[in-house]
Amino acid sequence: MAEVSDINVTPFIDVILVLLIIFMVAAPLSTVDVAVDLPVSNAQPQARPDTPVFLTVKGDLTLALGNDTLPREALQAMLDQRTNNDRQQRVFLRADGAVAYRELMEVMNLLRSAGYLKIALVGLEDTGQGGAPASSGASRP
């Protein structure tokens, strides 16, 4: 009887099948699953203002109200002028992607100290269709 020089793969397949079964059992146990019963919101979406107030933090950390650049010291006066002293009006805050979180929070603190507490952060919507994301009502600064 001649020797067979082919490799015996039966033990290899047995080991792979055992590992497959182990991973099939262990995988569902390794996921973190927290059951949360989220409430349903029945709030009506708020109407968009006719002339929204956009405050932009540019990449070089300068501020712009609408299209007009302004110093940080003049922020309250310019906002009061633009909103006719209506501090309940929503301010739409947008920032360049390169602006640090700390700088954005400083601008939000400036708005708070000026009396403007209704702040909406503006970003780009991801529609999930690939390509460039659609704008959410504001052009990118």
Side-chain angles (χ1 to χ4, degrees):
M1 180 170 191
E3 284 188 26
V4 178
S5 63
D6 293 338
I7 190 168
N8 189 2
V9 293
T10 306
F12 177 71
I13 292 173
D14 290 343
V15 169
I16 294 298
L17 288 176
V18 169
L19 287 175
L20 178 67
I21 292 170
I22 290 172
F23 285 124
M24 286 174 52
V25 171
L29 300 176
S30 67
T31 59
V32 177
D33 193 18
V34 177
V36 177
D37 187 17
L38 295 175
V40 177
S41 173
N42 57 3
Q44 297 296 323
Q46 294 183 351
R48 289 185 155 183
D50 294 333
T51 57
V53 178
F54 284 105
L55 180 64
T56 306
V57 183
K58 298 180 184 178
D60 59 354
L61 303 180
T62 58
L63 298 179
L65 189 59
N67 293 328
D68 305 324
T69 303
L70 71 144
R72 291 180 185 236
E73 301 81 31
L75 178 63
Q76 182 174 359
M78 291 295 290
L79 278 173
D80 288 343
Q81 178 184 357
R82 184 73 56 97
T83 62
N84 295 326
N85 291 325
D86 180 16
R87 296 199 173 157
Q88 295 300 315
Q89 189 169 347
R90 188 172 308 277
V91 176
F92 293 93
L93 180 62
R94 57 188 178 181
D96 189 88
V99 173
Y101 180 73
R102 173 180 293 153
E103 300 297 330
L104 186 62
M105 289 305 298
E106 285 181 14
V107 173
M108 290 179 75
N109 287 335
L110 284 174
L111 287 170
R112 178 186 292 168
S113 65
Y116 292 90
L117 301 178
K118 292 187 176 184
I119 302 168
L121 298 177
V122 178
L124 297 176
E125 285 184 14
D126 185 9
T127 60
Q129 297 176 354
S135 176
S136 63
S139 62
R140 188 174 182 146

